Amino acid sequence: MARIVQRPDPLPKAAEVDPVTVDIIENALRNARAEMDAVLFRTAMSPGIREQHDEFPLIANPEGLMVVGQFGLSIPAFLEGFEGTVEEGDVLFTSDPYACGGAISHANDWLVILPIYVDGWVVGWAAQFGHMTDVGGKVPGSLPTDATSIFEEGVLVPPVKLYDKGRLDEDVLRIALNNVRMKEWNRSDLNALVAACRNAGRRIQELCERFGTDVYLATLDALLQRNYDAMKTLIETTIPADEVLTFTDYVCDDGMGYGPYKIHCSMWREEGKLILDFTGTDPQSLGPINYYLNESLYKMFFGTYMISVFDPQILWNDGFYPLVDVRIPEGTLLKPRYPAALSCRTHGLGRIFDILTGLLGQRQPEFLCAAGFSSSPHLMYSGTWTEGERAGEWFQLYQIGFGGIPGRPAGDGPDGHSLWPSFTNVPNEFLEAYFPLVIEKYETVADSGGPGLYRGGNGIDIAYRFLEPGQVSIHDDRWFTYPWGVNGGLPGGRSRKWLERADGTVEVLPSKCDRVQVQKGDLLHYVTWGGGGWGDPLERDPELVALEVERGLVTRDGARRYGVVLDEEGRVDQAATEALRAEIRAGRGELPLFDRGFSDLEELRARCLAETGLPAPKPPQFPPFARQGS
C-alpha cells in the first residue's frame, strides 16, 4: 500500500462556499479536463489516440474520488497495489489490470497517475490512460483472440514510479519499450499522457492560488455532495423497492469456437441503496473475452446513464458511490481469476451498457433505449512495406470501427457512430496516407438498423483494399445474437466480415480472428451491426421511410417492415400502405417490451450456418477453477 508523503497537519477547508464560486470552479474543472485531451491529441503519435481518441482523463480529490472525467477509474485501488512512497514530482505508471483492481481492463491500456501538491499537501490527483497500438505479446496489436492467459497479451508493468521526484526512471521506460513493436509510438503516447496530467496539475494549482486551497477543496466537497443528493432522489423515485428487476444478454463467442456467454444482472433497492448484482453470470472463459470489471467503474456507468437522462447539465462525479452496491462473483466472466486472458474484453464492456439500459428502462419504458453499444470493433493490419521509399519498414494499424446507435426515446440512432462521447473515426485520408491500403467503400448498410417508430442506426461497411502483404486481426461481436429492439421496435442487423481475394475467391471470416494472411489486392469487407429499433415501426411516418429509401438508408423491401409500400416512382402508395399495416397489425399480437430476434439459443444455433455462413458456436467450456453454478 502506498504511503503518501505530505504535511502532517490536516488540509484546510472553508466552512462553506457560495454558489457562484462553485459554478466558476466547476467550469474550470471541465476546461482542465478538456485541456488534458487537447494536450494528448496534439502530442501522441498513434492514430488510435491521436485521431480516434481512445483515452480517458480524470481529475480527483485528495481521497482519489473523481470530480471530473470521462471514464472513471479507481485511484484508491491503484494505490493499494503500489508499494512505496508517493512524493511531489512523482508520476506513477502501470499496465497491469490485476494490480490496480481493474482501473484499466487490459494490458494495452497504459495508465499514468500524478499527485497534485499545493504547499506540501496533496490536493488531488490527475490520471489518464490510453490504448497503446502494441504492447508486445503473440500477435501484432497485442489482442490475441486465442489467448488463454494474460501472459500471452504483452508486457505487464506493475504499479511503479515512472518519475521519482521529477526524475525519469530510464530503466522502467527502457524495459517497457523493449517489449513492444512500435517503440516510438509508445514513447510518444506515454510522454503525452504524462504531459496531459502535468497540465491538469498546473490548472488545479492555479485554482488553489486564485481562490485559496480551502475554498477549492470545499467546492469539490460541494460538487460530490450535489451528485450524492441528486442520485439519492433519483434512486428513490425510479428504482423499485418492491421487486427485483433482471436482465440477461450474451457475448456471442470467445474467439475459440465456444459461446454464447451469459451476462446476467439483477437490480433492486435496499435500505436506500441501489443493488446491482451479477450473480447468474457465466463463469470466466478459457479464452480472452473476460472483462475484469471494477465495481466503481460500473457505479460510474450507472450514474452517467441516470444523470444524462434526468439532468445532463450536472457534472457527474464519484460522489454518489456510497449509494450503489455492485456485486460481482469472483471467478465469473466479469471478475476472472488471475491470470485469465483479457485481450478481448471489449465485447463484455459493450454488453454491460446494453444490460444497464435493459435494466433501468423496464419500469419506465419511455426512457428505455434499444441495444446498440454491442461491441467496440477492432481491426489490426500489419506487415512490412515491400515497395517505394518505405521498403523494409514495419507498418501496424489499430483502428476502432462503429456500429449503429440504438433507437432512443429522443429519435433515431445515428448511423455508424460511437457511443463514447469523444471517439471519432480515423479519417480515410489519414489511413491512405500512412498505411498501404485504399478505402474503396465507407457507407451505411441499408436495413441494418432495427425498424421502429425511431429507427436504430445502420451499421457500416468499410471495404479495405490492401496494397501490401500482411496479416489482419479482427475483433467484433453481435454476429450470432442480435442487438435487440424495444417497445415494439425490431432488432438491428448482425455484423459480418468477408474477404474478396485478388484471385476471385470469397472467404467468410469469424468475428474474432488473428493471423489472417492477406495479399496485395485482397479486399476486406468489415460490416458492423445495426442498432435496435424503438417503438412500433407501423407508427413511423411513411414519408420519412420513403425519404430514407431515396437516401439509401432503407431498401424498398425494408420499407415493408414499416408497413410502407412505394410505387414505381418511389412515392408512398397510401392505400397499399394502409392495407399492409392493417394486415401486419392483425397478425402480430401484443408488442413485446424487448425483441431479441429469437425465442431461445438452440433455435438460434439451428439457424446460424444458413444465416451467417459460419457454424454456430459450441456451448461454453469453463476452467475447472472458475465459479460454477453461478
Side-chain angles (χ1 to χ4, degrees), residues 519-598:
Q519 301 300 322
K520 181 178 180 179
D522 288 351
L523 184 70
L524 170 66
H525 283 268
Y526 199 109
V527 177
T528 58
W529 27 263
W534 190 99
D536 186 354
L538 303 186
E539 298 297 324
R540 191 167 177 84
D541 181 358
E543 296 296 337
L544 178 56
V545 176
L547 179 62
E548 293 192 311
V549 171
E550 179 184 336
R551 292 176 172 175
L553 301 172
V554 177
T555 65
R556 279 178 168 269
D557 287 340
R560 297 182 68 87
R561 300 176 74 192
Y562 299 88
V564 174
V565 181
L566 305 179
D567 63 21
E568 293 183 358
E569 303 297 325
R571 296 184 297 253
V572 176
D573 185 327
Q574 297 291 350
T577 293
E578 291 176 9
L580 179 58
R581 287 187 163 184
E583 179 185 343
I584 294 173
R585 284 192 179 97
R588 70 183 180 183
E590 184 178 350
L591 294 178
L593 183 59
F594 298 98
D595 187 340
R596 296 179 181 269
F598 62 93

Side-chain angles (χ1 to χ4, degrees), residues 254-580:
D254 61 2
M256 301 172 72
Y258 298 97
Y261 288 79
K262 178 177 65 174
I263 299 178
H264 179 84
C265 190
S266 301
M267 179 179 74
W268 68 94
R269 180 156 53 93
E270 182 179 294
E271 297 179 352
K273 276 191 175 185
L274 169 74
I275 312 298
L276 293 164
D277 188 348
F278 284 95
T279 298
T281 294
D282 272 346
Q284 68 190 69
S285 167
L286 285 165
I289 60 166
N290 303 294
Y291 175 37
Y292 187 16
L293 176 58
N294 180 280
E295 286 85 353
S296 293
L297 188 61
Y298 200 62
K299 293 178 184 181
M300 188 276 297
F301 292 160
F302 164 78
T304 303
Y305 177 92
M306 296 291 282
I307 290 172
S308 296
V309 167
F310 292 102
D311 194 350
Q313 294 306 310
I314 287 181
L315 182 66
W316 48 269
N317 56 46
D318 288 0
F320 67 88
Y321 280 15
L323 296 168
V324 183
D325 183 5
V326 176
R327 303 171 183 176
I328 310 174
E330 187 180 355
T332 60
L333 199 69
L334 301 181
K335 188 67 68 176
R337 292 189 173 99
Y338 177 84
L342 306 173
S343 54
C344 293
R345 99 292 185 231
T346 185
H347 316 300
L349 169 59
R351 199 67 79 253
I352 63 171
F353 279 95
D354 284 347
I355 288 173
L356 192 57
T357 297
L359 275 173
L360 294 172
Q362 288 183 37
R363 284 281 297 264
Q364 297 169 305
E366 66 273 17
F367 292 122
L368 188 61
C369 291
F373 193 0
S374 298
S375 183
S376 183
H378 295 349
L379 171 70
M380 278 73 77
Y381 168 46
S382 60
T384 303
W385 293 83
T386 61
E387 300 176 1
E389 296 179 356
R390 301 179 183 177
E393 180 182 331
W394 175 260
F395 65 85
Q396 187 171 332
L397 170 66
Y398 158 75
Q399 183 184 11
I400 301 173
F402 305 131
I405 298 296
R408 306 160 294 164
D412 296 346
D415 305 311
H417 202 280
S418 174
L419 268 174
W420 288 119
S422 68
F423 273 22
T424 60
N425 289 309
V426 178
N428 292 342
E429 296 81 2
F430 181 97
L431 294 174
E432 293 177 343
Y434 290 97
F435 299 95
L437 54 80
V438 172
I439 306 298
E440 294 199 354
K441 180 191 290 187
Y442 195 115
E443 60 186 38
T444 63
V445 180
D447 296 339
S448 58
L453 170 62
Y454 299 124
R455 177 176 61 83
N458 282 334
I460 55 176
D461 178 1
I462 308 180
Y464 299 87
R465 178 76 69 182
F466 300 117
L467 305 181
E468 290 279 10
Q471 68 172 349
V472 164
S473 292
I474 290 172
H475 286 231
D476 203 0
D477 208 61
R478 286 297 194 201
W479 70 274
F480 181 62
T481 63
Y482 297 90
W484 31 266
V486 297
N487 295 328
L490 302 181
R494 291 158 156 161
S495 66
R496 50 202 172 96
K497 315 286 181 289
W498 72 93
L499 264 174
E500 296 178 13
R501 297 288 189 181
D503 62 8
T505 59
V506 176
E507 181 181 346
V508 178
L509 298 175
S511 72
K512 304 171 187 67
C513 54
D514 287 315
R515 307 177 190 87
V516 178
Q517 300 301 315
V518 294
Q519 301 300 322
K520 181 178 180 179
D522 288 351
L523 184 70
L524 170 66
H525 283 268
Y526 199 109
V527 177
T528 58
W529 27 263
W534 190 99
D536 186 354
L538 303 186
E539 298 297 324
R540 191 167 177 84
D541 181 358
E543 296 296 337
L544 178 56
V545 176
L547 179 62
E548 293 192 311
V549 171
E550 179 184 336
R551 292 176 172 175
L553 301 172
V554 177
T555 65
R556 279 178 168 269
D557 287 340
R560 297 182 68 87
R561 300 176 74 192
Y562 299 88
V564 174
V565 181
L566 305 179
D567 63 21
E568 293 183 358
E569 303 297 325
R571 296 184 297 253
V572 176
D573 185 327
Q574 297 291 350
T577 293
E578 291 176 9
L580 179 58

Side-chain angles (χ1 to χ4, degrees), residues 15 29 32 104 109 111 155 174 221 223 240 308 328 391 400 424 523:
L29 289 168
I104 51 176
D109 290 333
L111 168 64
V155 61
R174 190 178 300 113
D221 290 344
L223 293 173
S308 296
I328 310 174
I400 301 173
T424 60
L523 184 70

